[in-house]
Amino acid sequence: MERAVEEPPSSAVLLDHCHFSQVIFNSVEKFYVPGGDITCFYTFTQHFIPRRKDWIGIFRVGWKTTREYYTFMWVALPNDLKKDLAKQQEVQFKAYYLPKDDEYYQFCYVDQDGVVRGASIPFQFRPESEEDILVVTTKGKVEEIEQHNVELCKENQELKDSCATLQKENSDMQAELKRKQEELETLQSTNNKLEEKVKEQKASWETELLQLKENNQKVSSENEKMGIRVDQLQKEHQKKLQQTVEELKQKETTAVKKQQKLTDENFELSRELNESKILFDILQREKERVEKENNLLKEENRRLLSYMGLDFDSLSIQMPTSAQGSTERNPTLVYGNPYSGVQESSASSVLSKKCLTCKSDFADEICDQSLEQKQTQSHSLNCPICSKVFSAKERQIFEDHVYCHSL
């Protein structure tokens, strides 16, 4: 069965057959030749007003509901319902959608509520035969009328049979409708109960909603209070932060001052360390110079002892205890008194001259000009930087002079 893409409005229930006469089908043929388009002609009665979703379907005779259409076409509404309503209307069915068997079919006009408003006489789709060609004569016309009456009677009988069938179907539909009504009443009762439950639930929801609104208002009020408290805490926190920043700034200033003080002290200590290093270098050089002078004096002593016929090494070994004691009492002589072993008469004659610098006694033969010069140098201070000479009494001037070189 061929159907259009959009399904037409239909119904599973048939109304009274009295509605079938509201739309009249005109010029319906007894049969239509297959393979060609057919045109359906119809007119509206004054008791019927067509609507936009009305349609005309081709139904096989014996149909029970409007859902059993074979094919259909939408009805074209007249341009002016008041003037053109009484005019004959038409709709064309294309050959492609028409039945291909030789069963009996009929046109039915169905409104947009699925109710049948008109039905045509039955017709077939079959080829034309020779029996259908009538000879046009007077007698033939009479026979044609008689034949037409017979056909009308036959059609009437068929309509009666169809009407009986429709009535039976109607009673079945009425029983089905009654059953559906009972089901509908049951559903309505269930629906009423559900509505009561919905009302109760709605009331409960409204109560809960009211409580939620009250809680929301309380929460909003608390939020406002919390917001005020947060602002206060933020201001207090800001003040504390500012106070902390000020304290940190003061601490930082104190730390900077302390660091500056430590830097100055470090600089002073570094300066003193440099001065100590310079002084140490001076003392080290002085020590080396004194050692050199001591070595020179030892050599001079050896030379003098050799001149006097004495051995310095044996004299040092055979030195009496008294000489050692005198040496300890006289720390200026590192190697002791080289003249302690000489006779007193010789010593008294030898020690007859004093040193010009330290006023020590020396023999005339020993204390010559070079020895006096060495003794004079031993009591002087030489600058290690510029070799400037200072006397022993000018030690503070000497130290200031050396310190000036480090600046």
Side-chain angles (χ1 to χ4, degrees):
M1 181 182 295
E2 298 291 339
R3 296 191 178 184
V5 176
E6 183 181 0
E7 294 291 336
S10 58
S11 175
V13 180
L14 289 178
L15 299 179
D16 193 355
H17 62 277
C18 63
H19 297 290
F20 289 8
S21 60
Q22 292 181 352
V23 178
I24 307 298
F25 289 93
N26 306 318
S27 304
V28 179
E29 302 292 340
K30 294 180 180 180
F31 65 89
Y32 293 94
V33 178
D37 300 339
I38 63 174
T39 303
C40 174
F41 300 97
Y42 60 95
T43 55
F44 298 111
T45 62
Q46 60 182 358
H47 303 291
F48 180 74
I49 303 298
R51 290 179 289 179
R52 186 174 60 85
K53 286 290 186 178
D54 293 354
W55 53 282
I56 294 177
I58 297 178
F59 291 80
R60 181 180 293 177
V61 174
W63 56 273
K64 296 181 180 180
T65 65
T66 54
R67 295 178 180 176
E68 299 178 12
Y69 64 90
Y70 187 88
T71 185
F72 79 98
M73 291 296 295
W74 296 109
V75 172
L77 296 178
N79 295 328
D80 190 349
L81 292 177
K82 294 181 179 180
K83 295 181 180 179
D84 300 336
L85 192 61
K87 292 182 180 180
Q88 180 173 271
Q89 310 294 326
E90 65 180 45
V91 63
Q92 189 178 41
F93 289 87
K94 296 294 182 180
Y96 179 79
Y97 298 103
L98 297 177
K100 304 297 187 294
D101 54 19
D102 58 353
E103 297 290 333
Y104 282 94
Y105 294 88
Q106 63 181 148
F107 298 115
C108 291
Y109 187 101
V110 184
D111 64 9
Q112 67 179 15
D113 296 326
V115 179
V116 178
R117 298 296 179 174
S120 69
I121 61 175
F123 55 85
Q124 289 180 295
F125 294 93
R126 62 180 178 82
E128 186 178 6
S129 62
E130 294 180 356
E131 295 178 357
D132 298 323
I133 302 175
L134 300 177
V135 179
V136 183
T137 57
T138 304
K139 185 177 180 180
K141 289 182 180 181
V142 174
E143 291 177 354
E144 182 182 356
I145 293 172
E146 291 178 355
Q147 182 67 26
H148 185 64
N149 289 332
V150 172
E151 291 176 354
L152 288 176
C153 290
K154 184 179 179 180
E155 291 177 1
N156 189 18
Q157 185 62 37
E158 290 176 353
L159 289 175
K160 287 181 180 179
D161 295 339
S162 177
C163 183
T165 302
L166 292 174
Q167 286 179 351
K168 183 177 182 304
E169 292 176 355
N170 188 22
S171 15
D172 294 339
M173 292 295 177
Q174 292 293 336
E176 182 70 18
L177 179 62
K178 185 176 180 181
R179 186 177 65 83
K180 295 290 184 183
Q181 287 178 347
E182 291 176 355
E183 292 179 357
L184 180 61
E185 290 176 356
T186 303
L187 291 175
Q188 286 180 348
S189 176
T190 304
N191 189 27
N192 292 333
K193 292 179 181 180
L194 291 175
E195 287 180 353
E196 290 295 330
K197 289 183 179 180
V198 168
K199 289 180 180 180
E200 294 176 357
Q201 189 68 31
K202 185 178 179 181
S204 176
W205 286 347
E206 289 178 352
T207 304
E208 292 179 359
L209 181 61
L210 183 60
Q211 292 178 355
L212 289 174
K213 287 182 178 179
E214 293 177 355
N215 293 334
N216 189 19
Q217 291 178 355
K218 291 180 181 179
V219 170
S220 300
S221 177
E222 292 178 357
N223 286 335
E224 291 178 357
K225 294 179 180 178
M226 290 297 293
I228 296 172
R229 180 57 179 166
V230 167
D231 293 337
Q232 293 177 352
L233 291 176
Q234 286 180 349
K235 293 178 181 180
E236 294 176 358
H237 184 64
Q238 186 69 23
K239 291 180 180 178
K240 290 181 179 180
L241 285 177
Q242 291 178 355
Q243 184 177 359
T244 304
V245 168
E246 293 296 331
E247 292 177 356
L248 290 176
K249 286 182 179 179
Q250 293 178 358
K251 290 181 179 180
E252 183 181 5
T253 304
T254 304
V256 169
K257 291 181 179 179
K258 187 175 181 180
Q259 184 179 4
Q260 185 64 36
K261 183 178 179 181
L262 291 175
T263 304
D264 296 339
E265 291 178 356
N266 187 20
F267 178 77
E268 184 67 23
L269 291 175
S270 299
R271 186 180 65 80
E272 292 178 359
L273 179 61
N274 291 330
E275 292 176 358
S276 299
K277 287 182 179 179
I278 294 171
L279 185 59
F280 175 78
D281 293 337
I282 294 171
L283 294 176
Q284 185 70 23
R285 292 178 184 179
E286 183 70 17
K287 177 183 177 182
E288 292 175 356
R289 187 181 62 79
V290 170
E291 289 179 352
K292 289 179 181 180
E293 291 180 355
N294 191 15
N295 291 330
L296 291 174
L297 290 174
K298 285 171 65 177
E299 293 296 328
E300 186 67 22
N301 288 335
R302 284 191 183 94
R303 188 180 64 80
L304 292 174
L305 291 174
S306 176
Y307 177 78
M308 295 173 64
L310 298 175
D311 188 2
F312 179 77
D313 295 331
S314 60
L315 184 63
S316 300
I317 295 172
Q318 296 177 1
M319 186 180 298
T321 306
S322 61
Q324 292 179 359
S326 63
T327 303
E328 292 176 357
R329 289 192 298 269
N330 190 5
T332 58
L333 298 179
V334 179
Y335 298 98
N337 189 357
Y339 309 106
S340 59
V342 186
Q343 295 179 358
E344 295 180 356
S345 59
S346 300
S348 60
S349 62
V350 172
L351 300 174
S352 62
K353 190 176 182 180
K354 293 183 179 181
C355 178
L356 297 177
T357 303
C358 61
K359 305 301 181 179
S360 299
D361 294 330
F362 295 97
D364 294 334
E365 295 83 1
I366 297 173
C367 187
D368 55 1
Q369 185 178 0
S370 60
L371 184 60
E372 291 179 358
Q373 184 177 2
K374 291 180 181 179
Q375 289 293 331
T376 304
Q377 290 178 355
S378 64
H379 293 278
S380 63
L381 300 173
N382 296 330
C383 178
I385 308 299
C386 62
S387 301
K388 187 175 180 179
V389 179
F390 297 88
S391 64
K393 298 179 180 180
E394 297 176 337
R395 175 170 293 277
Q396 183 63 40
I397 299 174
F398 166 74
E399 292 177 357
D400 294 339
H401 172 77
V402 173
Y403 175 73
C404 289
H405 284 294
S406 64
L407 297 177

